[in-house]
Amino acid sequence: MRAICVALTLQFVGAAVADDTVRVIRPPASGPTCAFEASSETGHMHLAFFASPRYSVPVYLKLTFADGEERYLFADGLHETEGGPHIRQGRTSAWIDMSGRLRDGWLKFEALCLFEEGKQVSGWAPVFLVSTSAEPPEPAELDVERTVSQQQLLGDRDPARHLVEPVAPFQPWIEATAIMQPWSLERTRALVEDRQTWIPRLKEMGFGAVIFIPGPGDIKPNYPTEVLRAAIDDYHAAGMKVLMYWSIMHIGHHEAWHTAAKEHPEWWQRDAQGNPVTVYGDKWLCPNTGALDFTIELARKLAIELDVDGVMLDNNEFFKTDVGPTGYCEGCQASFREHIRAELGDQRLREMGLDPGTLRCPLPGDKLYPWWIDWRYRTWRRATATFRAQLREAKPGIVLCANTQYKGGWYLAVLEQPQAEDLLFAESKGLPGVRMSGKLAWGRALAEGKPVWNYLDTWPREDNTRMIEPEGIYDRVCTTLAWNASPWICGFGLVQRAPAAGWVIGYYEGAESAEGRRDEGGGRDGSAAAKLSSTEAARVSVSHQPFLAVHAGQRFSFRCWYRTEGVSEGRPRARLTFVDAKHKPPVGRPYVYYAEGEAGSHGWQEMRNDEVIAPEGAEVLNVEMFLWEGTGAVWFDDAELLCDGKNVLPNRDFETPADAVDASSREAVAQCLRFQRDHRDLYVGATPYVDVGLVVSRHSVDFAQEYSRYPQGSMSALALAHIPFEVVTEEQLEPARLARYQVVFAPLASCLSDEQLRALAKYAAGGGNLLFTADTGTRDRFGVERKDDLLAELLGLPRGELKQTRTVGEGRARWLSADPGEAYLKSGLPGDVQALADAIYELGGGALVAADGCPPWVEIVAYAQPEKRRLIIHLDNQHPGEVAPDFVLGLALPERWEAKGSAKLYPLGGEETALEAAASARLVNAMRVPVPRYYSVIVVDSTGL
């Protein structure tokens, strides 16, 4: 018999004293009766019984004490005979003072559970609550049902086995650092030319790093290296880090790209018919050619000259043409031939009817096509690794990451690149928080413990002069923080150098010395106006955004007022350009209209065009006013575009400054970034604290198309059930990794290798709990159906017999013929979520975090900081702004963390507060937590004994 001592030492905020804590004890059942033994060092002991909610009928107990005395335990206490109020399911009896029954500080008894007709209850999962204080707390205040269910899941397990040491970042600053990307035109000019204003402003908002595009290139403005270096020195002096934008396939939009593309057609990415990729203005380059060394050498030179702290490789990927995926240039042919000969050997290739010496990259349906798809991933991993190694030789300590858009199709070939990077860059543009969380969960697995940076869109897709509403900002940025990623924010709408709301400055040929701004008093009658000026002949414009929606046949009349000062070699001009939905010239003609002005120096005049007609295929219209290929200055005011007599140009008079719009959205961004900056210690050195591993299989996506990159349905269902989880990639299916989890869940992973199936079976046989669904493991890694069910053979039972949980070696396995996550994705029904949660709970998973009454739209993400012995729980409201009543949270503590500590709440936009919590040797219990309006973090701090 196991003795259970309930004199405890853990005290959390809100627990009265150490002896006021309550211990839940569950000795192992043996037959219909169970023996209990507990001690007290205080001379006091109170006992209560909790009736498990699994029963549909009330129960009571017969107790036999060590001296042979028998008593009956009902809801209101002990009775000498049968008779009293039964204990209803999910309820707790009153506290019973057992102090007088202690013998040498011990209480021993046997218990028999009965229901209302006096019949025995078998498998009744005995649960007693024991308090050794003189006045025990009310059981109801302890939320006993949640405590019991959580402790039942835990069993004798020490949660410490689910901990893993965090991976130290290559450079400390890449954790919890927000990055600003100005991205061209007035935003870059603001951060370079007006940096004395913007450096302190960025720091106040919470940014710690900024990225610039080195010139010369095709992304304006172009700054000479010495100008950009002077700006970078000032950012460094202010304590900020600076990254350099670059790429392999378009050389970071550097002018060298266009030269290289013209001089080296052998460097082009090509499809099977020899067609190149043409995106952003020229041919994409292939890393299996001399383009790789060329781009690395130029990057090394610029990184040293600019003294940057890191390099981000954009679009580091293969692409596709209208014909199909690329990877067929001569460089690829030679690289694949070398790879496949090493992979399969010449003898096997000959047995397949192939000549090893003349192999070409295969086409769909060819024998080697699956190997070719895998080889493309390795190509980019090798290229990125080479880039990083050579960059480090030139500048030790420099950081490398790549925007791989890893949610894209297999044709991008990016999923293995994070192994060669210092962090993972996630482009989550266009994703709401509820979908972004799944992508970030997968990204953390690909990152393998390295930091994650998350690129967010905080502007409306159709208007990059504005920002989305604050709720949308909170939705995106808070989800990023909850998954312990750093926000990468593009400056659209956030960095303002525009002349007025809804208008942006466009720089064209010869415009390096041009300026565009809002002149506060330069307009008609002393009002505001847009001023364009240049000391050299240039085209510079003020352009209305977003483009205006139109349809063919619409008639417009354009007019605006302008004045000039010293305009020569050119003139004021307005241009109205119709384009289709892809911003390409429409079918009909004409699609460009002009209104002309006079040069020289003169007061206010009107320019107009009353015969503007949308041609066939036109869907949007761009309105621009220019200083056209001239010098001097021109002011524009009171612009109108009339359709059916009504003006459709907002802010026509430039009276509303750009920074007067979206102030609340900008503050939302700043509030989130400052929270991460000010609480940086909560984000660094954190590692997932979970007991459920979710398997994601790349090969199942590539060759069986089971889902789009990751099982969104299963991820969503687990999040809705408040079961924190960690993604495990198929390459990570090895004993040390799997040993972290109480449950390994493999949904829809049909394409797994023999070795990976053996790893899953070995995990279960060694004491793990395997949950798998539908066709998991029924195909080989390239999607070919297996003749036999290898996974079932390895588990020792047919799948049909695994519909119920069965013992497998020292562990357990269960097969769900239909995947609840996939069902939820299609139905949206809570029953499918509950079905998955029940299967996880049955196998003992989901025990580290328990949330009662937490709304399903609040996601819970759990981390630990092992060195500091504390748990970090992120709460992310996926319905930003929606409020709900408080809920109850319970957490399992690793056994060696049992010491004095505290539980604190850090709400976004609020004050730090202490949370009241009871505690036992295994659980921090009954924390009543407010539902965050947007986002909050709970810190359970446990110092060592």
Side-chain angles (χ1 to χ4, degrees), residues 286 288-289 327-342 356-361 372 375 379 382:
C286 177
N288 286 318
T289 69
Y328 290 93
C329 71
E330 288 305 314
C332 287
Q333 302 289 357
S335 176
F336 176 72
R337 185 161 49 247
E338 179 182 0
H339 163 78
I340 200 65
R341 293 179 73 176
T358 61
L359 276 174
R360 305 283 291 173
C361 292
W372 178 76
W375 160 82
T379 279
R382 184 181 65 252

Side-chain angles (χ1 to χ4, degrees), residues 135-198:
E135 296 293 335
E138 288 296 324
E141 295 179 1
L142 299 175
D143 200 358
V144 175
E145 177 177 344
R146 184 199 46 70
T147 305
V148 170
S149 61
Q150 191 175 3
Q151 190 149 342
Q152 287 174 340
L153 287 174
L154 275 176
D156 296 325
R157 178 175 18 135
D158 178 5
R161 81 174 178 88
H162 305 297
L163 291 173
V164 59
E165 289 299 317
V167 176
F170 172 65
Q171 293 286 2
W173 69 267
I174 64 178
E175 284 191 288
T177 295
I179 303 95
M180 160 57 64
Q181 178 172 339
W183 192 248
S184 78
L185 299 179
E186 77 272 8
R187 289 161 294 277
T188 300
R189 286 186 179 269
L191 299 194
V192 173
E193 298 177 18
D194 303 336
R195 60 184 178 274
Q196 298 309 320
T197 297
W198 277 98

Side-chain angles (χ1 to χ4, degrees), residues 44-47 63 65 78 96-102 107:
H44 300 286
M45 180 173 287
H46 287 77
L47 183 73
L63 305 182
F65 294 95
L78 286 182
I96 306 160
D97 190 352
M98 294 288 186
S99 303
R101 300 177 184 274
L102 292 173
L107 177 68

Side-chain angles (χ1 to χ4, degrees), residues 373-374 377-378 381 414-419 442 445-448 694-703 709 727-738 740 749 751-753 755-757 759-760 781-782:
I373 289 176
D374 270 6
Y377 288 100
R378 298 184 188 187
R381 182 180 67 189
V414 299
L415 292 182
E416 294 185 11
Q417 276 191 70
Q419 301 171 34
W442 185 37
L446 296 175
E448 297 186 294
L694 174 68
V695 177
V696 173
S697 166
R698 170 179 70 79
H699 282 80
S700 298
V701 177
D702 289 353
F703 301 109
R709 287 290 141 197
V727 170
V728 186
T729 69
E730 59 191 356
E731 293 83 4
Q732 295 164 346
L733 295 178
E734 46 85 27
R737 178 64 181 262
L738 296 178
R740 301 180 195 175
C751 301
L752 296 174
S753 69
E755 294 76 14
Q756 290 160 355
L757 293 179
L760 290 174
R781 67 183 177 125
F782 291 142

Side-chain angles (χ1 to χ4, degrees), residues 50-53 55-59 75 85-92 116:
F50 171 73
S52 173
Y55 302 112
S56 59
V57 295
V59 299
H86 291 72
I87 307 168
R88 296 194 171 274
Q89 59 272 21
R91 303 292 180 85
T92 309
E116 53 192 1

